[in-house]
Structure formats: structure tokens, C-alpha cells
Amino acid sequence: MRATARAHTNIALIKYWGKRDESLFLPMNSSLSITLDKFFTTTTVEFCSCLTEDVFVLNNQLASEQELTKITRFLDRVREISGKGYRAIVNSTNNVPTAAGFASSASGFAALTAAATKALGLNLDGTTLSKIARQGSGSACRSIHGGFVEWRKGEKIDGSDSFAKPVMSDKSWNISILSVLLTSKPKGISSREGMKRTVETSPFYSGWLASVEQDFLSAKEAIRARDFEKLGTIMEANAMKMHATTLGANPPFSYWNSGTFDVMQEVHNLRTLGIQSYFTIDAGPNVKILCHPKEEQIVQEALLKIPTVKAIHICHPGPGIKYLSDSDRLKKY
Ligand code: DP6
């Protein structure tokens, strides 16, 4: 009753922003992402009849009560599916540089889904794993798969048609994703809270919904055609629209800081110089930039000149979940 799995983080090209069902994590809109090679979570789950409650060790330290509650709630769903009530020891390590500004909940819940279901003897396909991972954190359903991934919102009330699937593998189109770190401070408003407030109060949210499905279809077409300019243009505009909804919320809020503007301006500047680069921003101030691999160094150098930029991590498309043996787990990566 023990298994280890690894899942990589993903960055949304078309954002998931808003839920139509909070308990099942059903999204208001479809989204698209790239799974990244560099950042991942490795999780071992061991169920035992000897345990009376779950134990959660995160990065070699006993996790807080709050983190444990989230894990137990999620494991309860897995226990329900398997019909086995055992408690578990969950040991999770994030290979995300601590200050990368990348959310690890997507890779965390994807790895936990794969390891926990395997440990209970369930051999589930990617679609089923994705539906389960979604109920830990929406964006986690996309981290089950590698490369370019779509998550169609689905229509059904039980969520059975809301899961992620691959659009194109990580090997089929090599593009660079630069993660620009401005701050590693935890964000004031979580994505969960931010999207809820926006759905409930922002008059701009209807504008988001009116255009996001078209963005999703156009971005998917651009990926299939390997049309970098088209993909970058849609991605950047989609991020701007998502962030615009927060300004109309009550109370209003923004995830950006002054460094966010500095980076956005430099990306525009690089484009006027003929270097194709496009930005996107999640629920925080840090910026991710898409560029051609042959120009990643030039883009990195230009951005490192901005005083508010603390670090840049260069990523490329990466793989989906992998099951590991005990000896693999012990190897250094
Ligand atoms: C802005 O998946 O973190 O990064 O489902 O509430 O756990 P919950 O939210 P989460 O939200 C991600 C929001 C986003 C866009 C995206 O990744 O698509």
C-alpha cells in the first residue's frame, strides 16, 4: 500500500478563472497550459491500518494543521473511490526553487492523486486521474499530462466531463518559458479567494466569460499550427483580461506590483526590437515569458537589467506524471 509519483507544475496560457461549483472544482471556462520540465513535486503515499490519522510531511518537515486538513479532505475522496478507509503517511518534496514564485499546488495534488490511487491498488487512466486531481486544486488536473494540455470546462453537473487531456506532447514543439521572479512573498489573496470574489462581484467578469472560449479555441489552433506569434498574442491578451476582472471586484484588488509593469514594458520593448516575446501572469506579481529557445539568453539578459527582477528560471515543455520506484525516489535530481 505504498507508491511514489512525480508531477510537474504547469503554466496557464489561457487561464482558469472562476468556478461554477466550488466543492467539485468545476470551472466557468476552459483553459490551456504547458507543463514545465524544471519544477516538480515528488510524493510517496503509504496507507496503513496501523494509523489513526493522516500524517503529512512537506519538504522534510511536518506540515501545518491547515495543510494537513486539505490533504486529509482530499484523501477522503480517494478513500471513498477505493472503498478502503486506511489513513496514510504522505511525504512530499517540491523541486521548485523556494523563491521561484511558482505555485506548487498543481504539481502537489497531481502527484498526490497518482501516488495515493496507486498505493490503494487502483490503476487509473489519465482522464480519471485528472478528474480526481481537479478536486484538490483545479489547475492540478492539467499537471497529470505533459506538454500542451487542455481542460475543457464540461457541462455536466457531476463534473464527469470536466478533465484535462493532452493537445501536443512536450517533444513536439520546443518553446522557452522564462519564470521571472520579482518577489517570493506569499500572495495576499489566494487564487481561490480571488476568483470567487471576482465571479461574485466584478461587473467585468461577464466580459471575461464572453471572450475566453474563443481565446481557448484560437490558442489551441495556434499550438497545432506551431504559430508562435499567434499563441503569444492571444496568451498575453487573455492574461490582461483575467487581471482586468480583479479591478472591478468589490473590494477591488490587483496581483501586480511595480516590477510587474517593468517586466511587461520590457517585453513590449523587446518586441519592437524584433525579438518575439510575450508575457503572462498568474495570481501573483511574478511574470512568465514565452520566447523562442534561440533567443532565451537575449531575453534573460535584457530582463536581468531591470532592478526589480530578482531571478529568472528558464523552462521548457515537460512530461506528465511518472510513477517511481523506491530507489528512484532516493536518487538526487
Ligand atoms: C490564475 O488551480 O490554484 O493560476 O482550483 O481554487 O485550487 P483552485 O485554484 P488554482 O487556480 C489557478 C488560477 C490561475 C490560472 C490557471 O492556472 O489556469
Side-chain angles (χ1 to χ4, degrees), residues 176-187:
S176 304
I177 305 105
L178 272 57
S179 167
V180 182
L181 176 75
L182 298 161
T183 173
S184 48
K185 276 204 214 119
K187 51 197 172 211

Side-chain angles (χ1 to χ4, degrees), residues 31-288:
S31 58
L32 253 179
S33 59
I34 306 181
T35 303
L36 302 178
D37 57 351
K38 216 170 179 179
F39 306 141
F40 53 84
T41 303
T42 309
T43 298
T44 301
V45 179
E46 183 162 12
F47 288 92
C48 181
S49 56
C50 58
L51 296 166
T52 52
E53 53 189 54
D54 296 320
V55 179
F56 180 31
V57 179
L58 179 62
N59 297 328
N60 297 319
Q61 283 189 332
L62 217 50
S64 67
E65 271 303 311
Q66 203 191 355
E67 281 164 329
L68 175 64
T69 307
K70 271 198 221 161
I71 297 298
T72 293
R73 203 173 296 150
F74 182 73
L75 285 178
D76 285 343
R77 288 188 192 257
V78 179
R79 285 187 270 258
E80 202 182 299
I81 295 166
S82 72
K84 291 176 184 156
Y86 308 117
R87 305 280 122 184
I89 299 180
V90 176
N91 186 345
S92 221
T93 313
N94 285 327
N95 281 67
V96 177
T98 32
F102 261 114
S104 47
S105 72
S107 55
F109 278 106
L112 179 62
T113 304
T117 54
K118 186 91 172 170
L120 286 174
L122 302 168
N123 282 311
L124 304 177
D125 59 20
T127 299
T128 313
L129 288 172
S130 177
K131 284 186 218 170
I132 300 173
R134 190 199 72 220
Q135 296 173 64
S137 181
S139 52
C141 79
R142 299 184 309 233
S143 273
I144 296 293
H145 305 290
F148 298 79
V149 179
E150 66 172 307
W151 173 17
R152 285 202 177 246
K153 66 185 167 89
E155 305 291 338
K156 295 193 180 151
I157 206 156
D158 65 355
S160 55
D161 57 351
S162 187
F163 55 86
K165 60 180 190 196
V167 172
M168 226 161 66
S169 84
D170 55 332
K171 302 280 177 271
S172 49
W173 192 18
N174 190 23
I175 54 181
S176 304
I177 305 105
L178 272 57
S179 167
V180 182
L181 176 75
L182 298 161
T183 173
S184 48
K185 276 204 214 119
K187 51 197 172 211
I189 301 173
S190 68
S191 38
R192 195 160 300 178
E193 197 187 324
M195 65 174 86
K196 183 173 158 63
R197 190 190 299 177
T198 304
V199 171
E200 287 170 359
T201 66
S202 177
F204 305 155
Y205 191 72
S206 55
W208 163 257
L209 282 185
S211 62
V212 64
E213 293 302 317
Q214 188 50 52
D215 286 353
F216 169 80
L217 295 174
S218 307
K220 214 168 107 177
E221 261 171 35
I223 290 169
R224 292 228 165 99
R226 294 173 179 71
D227 186 335
F228 187 84
E229 190 177 343
K230 181 172 169 180
L231 179 62
T233 307
I234 300 164
M235 175 193 78
E236 195 172 290
N238 184 264
M240 295 299 273
K241 282 186 266 190
M242 179 205 119
H243 286 273
T245 66
T246 71
L247 302 180
N250 184 13
F253 65 102
S254 171
Y255 286 112
W256 300 353
N257 66 20
S258 61
T260 314
F261 284 100
D262 296 340
V263 175
M264 285 157 68
Q265 259 161 19
E266 184 54 32
V267 168
H268 283 170
N269 185 36
L270 285 167
R271 285 217 292 274
T272 61
L273 300 172
I275 296 160
Q276 281 192 328
S277 54
Y278 299 89
F279 64 76
T280 187
I281 307 154
D282 279 334
N286 299 319
V287 186
K288 281 91 189 175

